[in-house]
């Protein structure tokens, strides 16, 4: 047997070259992320340009440079991967959203948030899907099936309200901020659940039974994903409370929190549930129980670790979207008919506008009927702001589009390529144009801070100190949590103040049963050098 050393050396050389190219690509991408952070810092005072728009612009400019260097053959230095997005980039973003949320404001408006985020997304999904079916079937855009049209409805129902949230103040407009923020997260989760439900069903012959099965599968995914997230969050709280990791090392506390958070996401993926919804509610539960069970240094560390990971992941995503917008492989399929690509993108934008308006204003009217206090009702100007906040499409839409219309980031089908390029066009246009117009629109609709202050609840300002707890006790004080709200003596009174009533009974249950087992505010963790063991309160 003769061993061919020449072949072996050639293979090793090829492998070494491939590895070197990967290292070069990663170096360039990390350098670009650093550039986005530096430029974003320089533009901090200019609230027109946020990190998302900055990353998109830098990505576009980088794509142009790479395109020129490669002789028009390539525009990005990394190949998009759905696994990279869904397994590594999305979890820290969604978990941090749940971990940092002001729970009291979120759950006080929970019914309205669920109306917008779940019911509203369903309405938008139906309108966009029906519009795509009725219009795109008459256009020569390739061989798209019914599943593709329903996937389009789910893809363009996923909002990205980051531009609006960076302009809104959580302290000056907690009602509006809570609605936009809460709806955005629930909307993303609902869109992904819808997308997965559509992919897992045989849609060749739709009838009433299959439609009911689709709805049932959606409700099952929604409920089971939430329960799994809550369960993992409670498990992490129980483990840290009972084992007192902080007596030896705060590193272990931080590590177990990070790993348990990530485990909730991976478990949801393993059982084909909505990982977004799971990790979001895991973040809420961990901020309510687990975070209060660790030492003070671990609290500061986890707060900034989760926020930093989320920040880097968001920049990474938008940077890549900007570069991928110039991908020659996909644009080659629409180069012979650029007018068709413009038409498809315009139609999708129109469907997004109509689908958003179709639920924001009717559901706001319905929500206002359930609100007894005028301060809790959503004014018309606020409704316009909420409508505008959900017009932007971002990373979730791009990732879902790649998942549906490409394999490994590549496609050779004309219809699929048109949908990918149209999705990127809608994301760029909505983020750039709508994002830049957000600040002047909000200034026009909500001009006076005094007017805004009338909308706010009794929630205190966001703590600025590193040492002040992220969700401090003042925020959840008993007096502020509705202790003075009269208890309901009739069904009518219960329906007139549902949020205060439910919150009151939840607090009683939480203090009586949950906190003694899982810890939380009031539990004092063991501090190295302390003469006493921690005690439960």
């Amino acid at each position: 047997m003769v061993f061919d050393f020449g072949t072996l050396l050639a293979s090793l050389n090829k492998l070494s070259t491939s590895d070197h190219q990967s290292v070069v690509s990663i170096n360039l991408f990390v350098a670009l992320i650093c550039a986005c952070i530096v430029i974003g810092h320089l533009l901090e005072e200019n609230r027109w340009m946020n990190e998302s728009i900055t990353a998109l612009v830098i990505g576009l400019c980088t794509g142009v440079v790479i395109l020129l260097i490669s002789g028009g053959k390539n525009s990005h230095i990394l190949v998009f991967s759905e696994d990279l997005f869904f397994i590594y980039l999305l979890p820290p973003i969604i978990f941090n959203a749940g971990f940092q949320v002001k729970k009291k404001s979120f759950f006080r408006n929970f019914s309205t948030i669920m109306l917008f985020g779940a019911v509203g997304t369903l309405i938008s999904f139906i309108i966009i899907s029906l519009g795509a079916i009725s219009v795109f079937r008459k256009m020569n855009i390739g061989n798209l099936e019914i599943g593709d049209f329903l996937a389009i409805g789910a893809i363009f129902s996923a909002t990205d309200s980051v531009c609006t949230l960076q302009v809104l103040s959580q302290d000056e407009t907690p009602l509006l901020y809570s609605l936009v923020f809460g709806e955005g997260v629930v909307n993303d989760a609902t869109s992904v659940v819808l997308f997965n439900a559509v992919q897992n069903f045989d849609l060749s012959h739709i009838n009433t039974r299959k439609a009911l099965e689709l709805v049932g599968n959606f409700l099952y995914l929604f409920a089971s994903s939430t329960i799994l997230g809550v369960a993992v969050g409670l498990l992490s709280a129980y483990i840290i409370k009972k084992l007192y990791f902080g007596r030896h090392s705060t590193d272990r506390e931080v590590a177990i929190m990070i790993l348990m958070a990530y485990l909730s996401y991976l478990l949801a993926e393993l059982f084909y549930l909505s990982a977004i919804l799971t990790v979001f509610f895991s973040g809420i539960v961990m901020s309510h129980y687990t975070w209060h069970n660790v030492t003070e240094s671990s609290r500061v560390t986890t707060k900034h670790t989760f926020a930093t990971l989320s920040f880097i992941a968001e920049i990474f995503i938008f940077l890549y979207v900007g570069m991928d917008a110039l991908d020659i492989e996909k644009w080659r399929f629409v180069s012979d008919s650029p007018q068709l690509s413009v038409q498809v993108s315009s139609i999708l934008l129109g469907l997004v506008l109509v689908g958003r308006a179709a639920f924001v204003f009717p559901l706001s009217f319905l929500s206002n009927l359930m609100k007894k206090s005028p301060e809790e009702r959503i004014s018309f100007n606020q409704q316009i702001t909420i409508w505008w906040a959900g017009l932007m499409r971002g990373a979730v839409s791009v990732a879902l589009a790649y998942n549906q219309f490409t394999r490994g980031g590549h496609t050779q089908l004309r219809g699929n390529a048109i949908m990918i390029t149209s999705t990127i066009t809608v994301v760029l246009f909505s983020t750039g144009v709508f994002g830049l117009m957000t600040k002047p629109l909000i200034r026009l609709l909500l001009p006076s801070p005094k007017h805004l202050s009338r909308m706010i609840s009794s929630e205190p300002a966001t703590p600025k100190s590193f040492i002040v707890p992220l969700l401090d006790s003042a925020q959840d004080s008993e007096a502020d949590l509705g202790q003075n709200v009269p208890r309901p003596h009739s069904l009518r009174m219960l329906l007139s103040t549902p949020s205060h009533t439910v919150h009151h009974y939840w607090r009683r249950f939480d203090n009586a049963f949950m906190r003694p087992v899982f810890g939380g505010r009031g539990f004092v963790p063991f501090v190295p050098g302390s003469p006493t063991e921690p005690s439960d309160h």
Side-chain angles (χ1 to χ4, degrees):
M1 180 178 180
V2 180
F3 190 80
D4 192 348
F5 285 100
T7 304
L8 175 63
L9 290 174
S11 300
L12 291 175
N13 184 53
K14 183 178 180 181
L15 181 63
S16 176
T17 303
S18 176
D19 290 342
H20 181 71
Q21 290 176 348
S22 299
V23 171
V24 171
S25 299
I26 293 173
N27 269 277
L28 288 175
F29 217 92
V30 171
L32 289 173
I33 293 176
C34 293
C36 290
I37 295 174
V38 172
I39 295 175
H41 172 73
L42 296 175
L43 298 174
E44 179 68 24
E45 298 300 323
N46 181 6
R47 300 296 290 275
W48 293 62
M49 291 287 290
N50 54 67
E51 281 82 6
S52 302
I53 299 177
T54 303
L56 278 174
V57 172
I58 292 177
L60 281 169
C61 296
T62 306
V64 171
V65 173
I66 297 174
L67 202 62
L68 294 175
I69 294 175
S70 65
K73 295 180 180 179
N74 191 22
S75 65
H76 44 71
I77 52 181
L78 291 175
V79 177
F80 184 87
S81 169
E82 295 90 348
D83 291 339
L84 173 67
F85 177 82
F86 283 106
I87 302 299
Y88 301 109
L89 297 179
L90 193 59
I93 297 175
I94 303 300
F95 178 83
N96 186 63
F99 193 75
Q100 302 276 10
V101 68
K102 285 190 174 183
K103 299 188 299 295
K104 188 186 65 168
S105 181
F106 178 83
F107 285 106
R108 175 187 289 136
N109 302 295
F110 188 73
S111 58
T112 306
I113 288 172
M114 293 305 295
L115 268 179
F116 287 157
V119 179
T121 304
L122 279 171
I123 295 173
S124 177
F125 164 75
I126 293 171
I127 290 177
I128 294 175
S129 297
L130 292 178
I133 292 173
S134 60
V135 176
F136 291 157
R137 278 186 168 177
K138 300 176 182 178
M139 303 172 64
N140 182 26
I141 60 174
N143 185 23
L144 297 180
E145 301 176 353
I146 183 67
D148 295 321
F149 293 119
L150 294 178
I152 290 171
I155 290 168
F156 289 97
S157 295
T159 65
D160 185 2
S161 53
V162 63
C163 295
T164 308
L165 289 176
Q166 289 186 351
V167 176
L168 289 174
S169 170
Q170 188 168 193
D171 300 319
E172 292 180 349
T173 59
L175 171 62
L176 198 57
Y177 189 96
S178 176
L179 291 179
V180 173
F181 171 81
E183 187 231 335
V185 176
V186 177
N187 167 278
D188 284 346
T190 306
S191 299
V192 176
V193 169
L194 281 170
F195 184 82
N196 292 335
V198 168
Q199 283 194 324
N200 294 332
F201 268 81
D202 180 16
L203 302 169
S204 56
H205 302 286
I206 295 182
N207 51 38
T208 305
R209 181 171 174 272
K210 284 194 174 182
L212 291 176
E213 287 181 358
L214 189 64
V215 173
N217 187 53
F218 169 79
L219 295 176
Y220 162 74
L221 287 174
F222 212 93
S224 55
S225 301
T226 302
I227 292 172
L228 178 61
V230 172
V232 174
L234 291 176
L235 179 62
S236 69
Y238 185 80
I239 290 174
I240 290 181
K241 179 176 181 292
K242 290 299 181 183
L243 298 183
Y244 310 136
F245 288 99
R247 76 172 66 182
H248 299 300
S249 170
T250 58
D251 296 339
R252 295 176 183 174
E253 287 184 321
V254 176
I256 198 69
M257 283 190 70
I258 294 175
L259 292 174
M260 290 292 284
Y262 193 46
L263 179 64
S264 69
Y265 189 92
L266 294 179
L267 284 174
E269 288 286 337
L270 179 65
F271 295 119
Y272 301 101
L273 302 177
S274 171
I276 291 180
L277 206 61
T278 297
V279 78
F280 175 69
F281 278 98
S282 177
I284 291 179
V285 172
M286 289 179 73
S287 73
H288 188 65
Y289 296 109
T290 314
W291 190 76
H292 293 279
N293 293 342
V294 301
T295 58
E296 187 174 280
S297 59
S298 295
R299 295 180 190 179
V300 176
T301 303
T302 52
K303 169 187 173 182
H304 293 291
T305 298
F306 291 134
T308 302
L309 291 174
S310 173
F311 177 72
I312 294 174
E314 287 181 355
I315 293 179
F316 186 100
I317 292 168
F318 280 100
L319 188 62
Y320 184 86
V321 170
M323 283 190 286
D324 198 58
L326 301 174
D327 187 12
I328 295 299
E329 179 190 74
K330 302 178 184 66
W331 285 106
R332 179 164 45 85
F333 290 96
V334 298
S335 60
D336 58 336
S337 55
Q339 184 179 359
L340 178 62
S341 179
V342 173
Q343 289 177 349
V344 172
S345 301
S346 302
I347 291 169
L348 289 173
L349 272 173
L351 290 174
V352 167
L353 291 167
V354 174
R356 181 87 184 154
F359 76 83
V360 168
F361 299 105
L363 293 184
S364 296
F365 175 77
L366 183 63
S367 175
N368 288 340
L369 291 179
M370 298 186 294
K371 303 293 184 182
K372 190 174 182 180
S373 172
E375 288 78 13
E376 294 180 346
R377 293 173 183 166
I378 308 172
S379 68
F380 183 70
N381 285 352
Q382 291 173 324
Q383 294 177 32
I384 295 177
T385 304
I386 294 171
W387 170 73
W388 184 268
L391 294 179
M392 283 160 276
R393 297 296 177 265
V396 174
S397 295
V398 173
L400 293 179
Y402 270 92
N403 188 290
Q404 178 69 24
F405 297 110
T406 70
R407 295 294 179 270
H410 302 281
T411 181
Q412 297 295 326
L413 301 177
R414 184 171 183 270
N416 290 359
I418 290 176
M419 294 314 306
I420 289 292
T421 54
S422 298
T423 301
I424 293 175
T425 302
V426 170
V427 169
L428 290 174
F429 183 87
S430 61
T431 303
V433 177
F434 294 161
L436 288 174
M437 294 174 61
T438 296
K439 186 176 182 180
L441 179 69
I442 292 180
R443 279 183 172 176
L444 178 66
L445 296 176
L446 307 170
S448 172
K450 294 182 180 179
H451 167 72
L452 296 177
S453 65
R454 289 198 294 268
M455 301 187 303
I456 69 172
S457 62
S458 57
E459 193 161 356
T462 305
K464 302 296 183 184
S465 170
F466 286 170
I467 303 176
V468 175
L470 178 66
L471 301 167
D472 64 337
S473 58
Q475 183 177 324
D476 291 324
S477 65
E478 291 298 328
D480 198 33
L481 290 170
Q483 192 175 20
N484 298 325
V485 177
R487 304 278 68 80
H489 301 292
S490 65
L491 179 61
R492 182 177 180 182
M493 188 175 179
L494 173 65
L495 294 176
S496 65
T497 57
S499 59
H500 296 291
T501 304
V502 172
H503 202 239
H504 168 75
Y505 287 116
W506 158 249
R507 293 295 296 181
R508 291 180 60 181
F509 174 78
D510 190 29
N511 290 330
F513 300 101
M514 300 298 288
R515 291 187 190 274
V517 177
F518 299 105
R521 183 173 57 84
F523 172 72
V524 181
F526 177 82
V527 179
S530 173
T532 60
E533 288 287 323
S535 59
D536 296 339
H537 297 285

